[in-house]
Amino acid sequence: MYTVYGDYRSGNCYKVKLMLHLLGLEYQWVAMDILKGDTRQAAFLEKNPNGKIPVLELEDGSCLWESNAILNFLADNSEFLPTEPRLRTQVLQWQFFEQYSHEPNVAVARFIKLYQGMPDDRRSEYETCVELGYRAFKVMEQQLQRTPYLVGEFFSIADIALYAYTHVADEAGFDLAPYPAIQAWLARIAAHPRYVGMHD
Ligand SMILES: N[C@@H](CCC(=O)N[C@@H](CS)C(=O)NCC(=O)O)C(=O)O
């Protein structure tokens, strides 16, 4: 059985939880609190020297970290990860986009607003994150106007990676009303029979 070290409020951790549910895999969840410094403890740094969650621990005790890498591991040989090279590369393309253009803006804006209560010394950084976050949503909207999922016709780990923080973008202060294709896509993912919510 897998063990996930994670925080229920974290979108990066939620990616792993959603993937495990969609695949119907059993796991145990070890709750971590980043605000209390759990990820800085020596025992945890043995699992991820970078001191970040999520971490997926396998039965033999080996650990995998970086949320999108974990998604690729779990989705191997499943319907959520195509084998055809061009499609598989498009999945990676969206996952790299998520880590470089989306998550550093949407998740950081959410952290500053929701976790930190918008301290004055981070307000200008927050505003930059919001501007760049909307830029990322525009890119997603353009794709989702054309195809039901980010990589064509099927639900993949590209969608899981980008769903995680997009579906809680309102908590970061974003308004997705001008992005109808993103809203329809969010509803499509949430309608999956094995879907699990972030706080379920
Ligand atoms: N690129 C990493 C980001 C992981 C990350 O930033 N995790 C946050 C929680 S969402 C964390 O562990 N923060 C604790 C810290 O940086 O001390 C991934 O996708 O897994």
Side-chain angles (χ1 to χ4, degrees):
M1 199 203 297
Y2 294 118
T3 302
V4 181
Y5 294 82
D7 181 326
Y8 282 112
R9 299 165 295 180
S10 151
N12 286 317
C13 299
Y14 173 57
K15 292 174 196 174
V16 177
K17 174 179 158 182
L18 180 56
M19 179 82 273
L20 287 162
H21 280 260
L22 290 170
L23 292 169
L25 296 173
E26 285 193 20
Y27 64 96
Q28 57 181 11
W29 184 274
V30 177
M32 305 282 289
D33 189 336
I34 55 174
L35 297 179
K36 288 194 179 142
D38 290 354
T39 52
R40 303 284 146 202
Q41 301 299 320
F44 181 73
L45 292 171
E46 292 284 317
K47 300 183 189 301
N48 179 0
N50 198 28
K52 290 186 189 299
I53 47 175
V55 165
L56 181 76
E57 191 169 67
L58 312 188
E59 280 192 16
D60 67 358
S62 59
C63 288
L64 299 173
W65 40 275
E66 284 296 324
S67 58
N68 290 343
I70 296 170
L71 290 182
N72 277 274
F73 172 78
L74 291 172
D76 206 30
N77 291 318
S78 81
E79 67 195 275
F80 298 99
L81 182 56
T83 51
E84 194 278 315
R86 187 179 53 88
L87 294 176
R88 196 162 178 142
T89 303
Q90 286 175 347
V91 169
L92 288 171
Q93 162 198 293
W94 284 109
Q95 291 189 317
F96 290 127
F97 163 84
E98 190 262 348
Q99 286 286 293
Y100 193 77
S101 302
H102 182 285
E103 193 261 13
N105 300 310
V106 180
V108 172
R110 179 169 173 265
F111 185 82
I112 295 171
K113 189 172 191 300
L114 188 70
Y115 288 58
Q116 296 189 315
M118 193 72 79
D120 283 344
D121 64 346
R122 295 198 77 180
R123 184 168 287 276
S124 141
E125 184 189 351
Y126 170 81
E127 280 160 11
T128 303
C129 285
V130 169
E131 187 189 329
L132 296 175
Y134 276 126
R135 203 180 288 177
F137 291 140
K138 190 173 166 199
V139 174
M140 292 169 65
E141 177 72 15
Q142 281 171 355
Q143 180 63 44
L144 293 167
Q145 292 277 357
R146 291 196 282 266
T147 55
Y149 295 100
L150 289 166
V151 182
E153 301 297 319
F154 67 94
F155 184 8
S156 77
I157 55 173
D159 301 292
I160 297 174
L162 278 147
Y163 179 82
Y165 283 105
T166 303
H167 91 297
V168 289
D170 60 321
E171 295 177 354
F174 290 93
D175 176 13
L176 293 183
Y179 302 87
I182 290 181
Q183 290 189 63
W185 168 78
L186 292 175
R188 211 169 285 131
I189 291 172
H192 191 285
R194 287 194 299 277
Y195 175 84
V196 65
M198 193 174 208
H199 298 288
D200 295 342

